[in-house]
């Protein structure tokens, strides 16, 4: 296979070119989240891309918190982000950093720019700065403070640092070009006054760098070679390059942009998720209806399924949306050969086998996964009284209904043939008990061929059944209306996004299950033990995904 060509994405092609031309002799990438919320599925793309590139080129991967805005940042978010990245399998080794570790160097860079005549202290308000900036078709207007002397700027900037000015009264701006066609280059603000306690530096600073100034400096200090970011930063690249050039870093990093991951009918905006959490519409940032990485983990998605999904999405410059069904396809593909297929009854009615010996329990051999014999078998108790699904019995069935109805015979999965001989109802007319007889000769695995049945149903032995709570999830948003209300920008929420079933029964094989363990419930879907609410006394299962898929792989 010597002539086999490996298709590389455009980022890999650019890195190959840089290495071949001697621009860099190694590769160093980073993932730099702001700790102001939980990471979501879109961040997973960036994490796996940056980590994957570092691995591919035998380079370094850095984990760095961009904590330059203390107004929104919390240690809760720092801890959750670290946990998410480890869970995805990205290993930063000893390379864990905080932007705030570099505040002294950033301050020195700002002083250097002032001394070079490339930065000045400005007294315009935020609104005035916006007005002076101009528009996409009109050049901006120079600030009346733009031509202050180097000495005055140094003194004012030092006084800003000393806390002599209130928030919003003074900023430090880069002195670039108010007529630039790129608005980001029209004397952007690079430092602001903010009397805030920082989670990492405490009260040492009352001025903080802006992201567009801090980020390239962080990359340059750490020796990042390729700063991989999403497309919205493409217009900021000239400013990124200006900062590292004017601050005179010897081996400046290179910024390369790629398209974000957009998933249909999901909420990824931190502002919206924060409101859902605060209004208690969802159960925290890890509510399984969200697509934060913590929520996907709690729901039962695996790192392998998310990696498969990201690989299928690919890396490109073109913005596009991906159907959520593709993510569901990936988790089904990952779990179908790995997980045991267990019996659970979510909407139970009693089935009594009238001719089965009372008090007798026999243990049947049940295969764990018919598609993967390596998972072996388990012993499942069987007895006279069972639970079956309510919709597996009908008094007056329609055509092609092959489950239980009067005088019909079905197979109880991995057990015997049973024939319906009667049923009981409550005073409201609801069926409460189905009566059957069984044929001992029809035991599964016995080789019986005397007759066939068209229907097979699952069951759980009533005396040994473990009670469980099952949570069925649908999309958090109304798919027909779309995510956002066009009139007021609010979310179009689906009122049926969560259904809680508290009277479910599962086979006793679940007794040793622990948080995040996942299984297939036969004929129903894939389910995961909830990590937050489940206990040994009260098992709680989250439905990861149903068995049926609406996603079709593209034809080759």
């Amino acid at each position: 296979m010597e002539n086999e060509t490996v298709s590389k994405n455009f980022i890999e092609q650019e890195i190959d070119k840089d290495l071949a031309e001697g621009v860099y002799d190694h590769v160093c990438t980073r993932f730099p989240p702001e700790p102001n919320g939980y990471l979501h599925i879109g961040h997973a793309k960036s994490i796996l891309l940056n980590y994957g590139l570092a691995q591919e080129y035998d380079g370094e991967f850095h984990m760095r918190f961009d904590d330059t805005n203390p107004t929104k940042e919390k240690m809760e978010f720092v801890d959750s982000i670290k946990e998410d990245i480890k869970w995805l399998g990205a290993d930063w080794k000893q390379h864990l950093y905080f932007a705030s570790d570099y505040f002294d160097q950033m301050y020195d860079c700002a002083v250097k720019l002032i001394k070079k005549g490339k930065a000045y202290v400005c007294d315009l308000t935020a609104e005035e700065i916006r007005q002076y900036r101009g528009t996409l078709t009109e050049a901006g207007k120079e600030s009346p403070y733009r031509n202050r002397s180097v000495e005055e700027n140094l003194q004012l900037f030092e006084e800003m640092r000393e806390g002599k000015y209130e928030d919003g009264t003074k900023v430090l701006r880069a002195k670039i070009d108010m007529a630039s066609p790129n608005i980001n280059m029209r004397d952007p603000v690079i430092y602001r006054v903010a009397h805030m306690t920082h989670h990492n530096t405490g009260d040492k600073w009352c001025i903080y760098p802006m992201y567009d100034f801090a980020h390239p400096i962080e990359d340059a200090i750490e020796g990042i070679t390729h700063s991989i970011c999403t497309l919205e930063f493409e217009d900021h690249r000239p400013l990124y390059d200006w900062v590292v050039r004017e601050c005179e870093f010897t081996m400046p990093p290179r910024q390369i942009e790629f398209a974000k991951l957009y998933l249909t009918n999901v909420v990824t905006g931190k502002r919206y998720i924060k409101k859902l959490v605060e209004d208690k519409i969802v159960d925290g940032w890890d509510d399984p209806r969200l697509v934060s990485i913590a929520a996907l983990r709690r729901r039962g998605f695996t790192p392998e399924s998310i990696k498969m999904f990201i690989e299928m999405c690919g890396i490109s410059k073109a913005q596009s949306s991906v159907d959520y069904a593709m993510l569901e396809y990936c988790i089904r593909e990952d779990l179908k050969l790995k997980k045991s297929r267990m019996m659970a009854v979510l909407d139970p009615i009693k089935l009594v086998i009238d001719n089965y010996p009372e008090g007798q329990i026999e243990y049947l051999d049940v295969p764990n996964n018919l598609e993967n014999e390596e998972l072996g078998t388990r012993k499942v108790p069987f007895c006279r009284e069972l639970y079956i699904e309510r919709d597996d019995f009908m008094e007056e069935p329609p055509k092609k209904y092959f489950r239980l109805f009067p005088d019909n015979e079905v197979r109880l999965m991995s057990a015997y043939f049973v024939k319906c001989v009667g049923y009981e109802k409550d005073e409201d007319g609801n069926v409460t008990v189905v009566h059957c007889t069984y044929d001992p000769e029809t035991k599964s695995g016995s080789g019986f061929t005397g007759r066939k049945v068209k229907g097979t149903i699952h069951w759980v032995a009533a005396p040994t059944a473990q009670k469980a709570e099952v949570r069925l999830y649908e999309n958090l948003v109304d798919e027909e209306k779309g995510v956002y209300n066009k009139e007021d920008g609010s979310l179009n929420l689906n009122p049926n996004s969560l259904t809680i079933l508290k009277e479910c029964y599962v086979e006793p094989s679940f007794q040793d299950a622990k948080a995040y363990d996942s299984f297939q419930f036969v004929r129903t879907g894939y389910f995961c033990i909830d990590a937050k609410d489940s206990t040994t006394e009260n098992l709680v299962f989250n439905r990861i995904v149903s068995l049926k898929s609406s996603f079709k792989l593209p034809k080759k």
Side-chain angles (χ1 to χ4, degrees):
M1 301 295 285
E2 288 180 15
N3 298 324
E4 183 180 358
T5 23
V6 179
S7 176
K8 293 199 170 188
N9 63 50
F10 74 95
I11 296 177
E12 292 169 316
Q13 291 169 9
E14 291 295 323
I15 292 175
D16 286 345
K17 185 169 175 283
D18 286 342
L19 293 173
E21 294 176 356
V23 179
Y24 307 104
D25 59 5
H26 68 290
V27 170
C28 184
T29 62
R30 83 290 171 269
F31 177 64
E34 187 179 351
N36 62 358
Y38 281 53
L39 301 181
H40 57 66
I41 185 70
H43 295 110
K45 180 177 181 179
S46 184
I47 295 163
L48 295 173
L49 171 60
N50 278 285
Y51 180 64
L53 289 169
Q55 282 192 307
E56 180 183 346
Y57 291 94
D58 196 23
E60 282 181 5
F61 170 71
H62 291 194
M63 171 63 209
R64 179 176 70 237
F65 287 97
D66 240 314
D67 56 346
T68 56
N69 185 5
T71 56
K72 298 179 180 178
E73 295 158 1
K74 294 181 184 176
M75 279 308 296
E76 173 197 351
F77 299 139
V78 170
D79 294 338
S80 75
I81 289 169
K82 285 160 71 172
E83 187 178 355
D84 289 345
I85 295 171
K86 283 181 180 175
W87 179 74
L88 280 173
D91 183 5
W92 59 76
K93 297 179 181 174
Q94 73 273 26
H95 300 291
L96 175 63
Y97 305 106
F98 289 83
S100 52
D101 294 337
Y102 312 132
F103 279 171
D104 286 298
Q105 287 143 294
M106 291 176 195
Y107 182 83
D108 291 342
C109 285
V111 169
K112 175 179 277 192
L113 291 180
I114 293 172
K115 289 179 177 177
K116 291 174 70 173
K118 299 285 187 176
Y120 62 96
V121 174
C122 182
D123 297 2
L124 293 177
T125 65
E127 181 56 38
E128 287 169 335
I129 290 174
R130 271 193 294 273
Q131 291 170 359
Y132 274 57
R133 188 173 290 137
T135 66
L136 291 171
T137 54
E138 296 176 355
K141 191 167 62 171
E142 290 188 358
S143 164
Y145 308 101
R146 195 174 195 265
N147 296 313
R148 278 174 162 157
S149 67
V150 169
E151 293 72 25
E152 185 182 4
N153 282 318
L154 286 171
Q155 182 182 341
L156 289 171
F157 190 50
E158 178 62 30
E159 289 172 353
M160 285 168 62
R161 178 182 181 172
E162 291 170 354
K164 292 188 178 179
Y165 302 110
E166 294 180 6
D167 294 5
T169 54
K170 278 181 171 49
V171 294
L172 183 70
R173 297 175 67 179
K175 193 174 188 179
I176 308 177
D177 181 6
M178 289 305 294
S180 171
N182 185 334
I183 289 181
N184 295 299
M185 300 297 280
R186 295 180 188 174
D187 290 11
V189 174
I190 57 175
Y191 259 94
R192 69 202 184 281
V193 178
H195 291 81
M196 293 285 297
T197 300
H198 191 282
H199 74 92
N200 192 26
T201 58
D203 295 318
K204 178 181 176 181
W205 296 92
C206 62
I207 56 170
Y208 291 97
M210 303 299 287
Y211 178 87
D212 277 347
F213 179 66
H215 189 72
I217 293 173
E218 297 155 25
D219 283 347
I221 290 171
E222 289 179 19
I224 301 300
T225 58
H226 295 86
S227 179
I228 314 297
C229 58
T230 47
L231 273 178
E232 72 262 34
F233 293 103
E234 189 170 31
D235 290 341
H236 297 247
R237 195 197 319 147
L239 178 55
Y240 182 101
D241 294 340
W242 184 91
V243 170
V244 291
R245 183 174 65 250
E246 294 297 341
C247 292
E248 300 173 17
F249 286 100
T250 50
M251 195 180 72
R254 180 185 174 193
Q255 179 175 303
I256 304 175
E257 308 86 13
F258 68 97
K260 264 185 175 180
L261 172 58
Y262 289 101
L263 208 52
T264 56
N265 292 315
V266 300
V267 181
T268 52
K270 287 180 184 174
R271 178 166 59 93
Y272 286 100
I273 297 176
K274 189 166 180 279
K275 182 163 173 48
L276 289 170
V277 172
E278 290 173 350
D279 294 347
K280 300 195 183 308
I281 293 168
V282 296
D283 174 30
W285 288 82
D286 63 350
D287 185 293
R289 289 167 290 179
L290 298 172
V291 289
S292 66
I293 296 174
L296 291 169
R297 179 167 69 248
R298 183 178 170 193
R299 183 152 172 178
F301 281 81
T302 59
E304 292 81 6
S305 67
I306 292 174
K307 287 172 189 171
M308 186 194 307
F309 174 66
I310 299 301
E311 285 171 9
M312 287 177 69
C313 290
I315 304 298
S316 76
K317 278 259 187 188
Q319 298 281 27
S320 61
S321 292
V322 180
D323 192 342
Y324 184 81
M326 190 163 100
L327 180 59
E328 293 182 321
Y329 166 83
C330 291
I331 187 64
R332 286 190 194 93
E333 284 297 297
D334 184 48
L335 297 182
K336 70 180 182 182
L337 297 179
K338 292 181 181 177
K339 300 300 176 180
S340 295
R341 298 177 181 181
M342 316 284 273
M343 291 195 280
V345 176
L346 307 191
D347 185 13
I349 56 170
K350 186 76 70 75
L351 183 147
V352 177
I353 305 172
D354 294 338
N355 63 335
Y356 194 89
E358 286 194 46
Q360 177 176 305
I361 292 182
E362 64 176 308
Y363 286 85
L364 305 175
D365 288 315
V366 178
N368 286 324
N369 190 319
L370 290 170
E371 293 182 69
N372 184 1
E373 292 182 1
E374 290 182 9
L375 291 184
T377 62
R378 66 188 185 281
K379 297 284 187 184
V380 177
F382 180 86
C383 62
R384 186 172 189 267
E385 294 193 0
L386 313 171
Y387 291 115
I388 64 169
E389 292 286 356
R390 186 171 296 278
D391 62 8
D392 280 343
F393 171 80
M394 291 186 78
E395 297 173 74
E396 299 176 4
K399 286 184 179 179
K400 296 188 177 179
Y401 180 86
F402 301 122
R403 286 169 273 173
L404 271 178
F405 54 87
D407 292 325
N408 191 45
E409 191 172 43
V410 302
R411 173 175 289 287
L412 294 177
M413 190 174 288
S414 298
Y416 299 92
F417 287 7
V418 292
K419 183 177 182 180
C420 178
V421 294
Y423 54 91
E424 300 173 28
K425 289 184 175 183
D426 63 18
E427 57 189 21
D428 297 322
N430 299 311
V431 175
T432 54
V433 180
V434 176
H435 287 273
C436 291
T437 57
Y438 89 117
D439 183 348
E441 293 185 4
T442 60
K443 187 174 183 179
S444 183
S446 66
F448 174 78
T449 57
R451 63 187 181 278
K452 292 185 177 180
V453 291
K454 290 185 176 179
T456 300
I457 65 174
H458 65 281
W459 49 273
V460 173
T464 57
Q466 191 167 357
K467 202 170 181 183
E469 177 180 313
V470 173
R471 297 171 181 177
L472 305 178
Y473 296 100
E474 291 182 13
N475 205 315
L476 184 61
V477 299
D478 189 321
E479 294 183 34
E480 291 184 6
K481 294 180 180 176
V483 180
Y484 304 111
N485 187 316
K486 291 177 182 176
E487 292 182 7
D488 60 6
S490 61
L491 294 170
N492 291 318
L493 295 174
N494 172 12
N496 303 313
S497 62
L498 171 61
T499 301
I500 299 177
L501 307 175
K502 289 186 175 287
E503 300 289 327
C504 305
Y505 291 98
V506 300
E507 59 175 274
S509 308
F510 288 101
Q511 61 191 10
D512 297 324
K514 56 188 184 300
Y516 299 115
D517 283 353
S518 55
F519 313 87
Q520 186 191 121
F521 288 179
V522 292
R523 301 169 60 216
T524 308
Y526 292 97
F527 290 78
C528 172
I529 301 273
D530 186 77
K532 188 181 280 188
D533 299 329
S534 192
T535 63
T536 48
E537 293 76 31
N538 180 40
L539 282 179
V540 177
F541 291 91
N542 298 323
R543 182 169 67 187
I544 310 168
V545 67
S546 62
L547 291 180
K548 292 181 180 177
S549 173
S550 61
F551 176 75
K552 298 287 184 288
L553 277 173
K555 292 180 181 178
K556 292 184 179 179

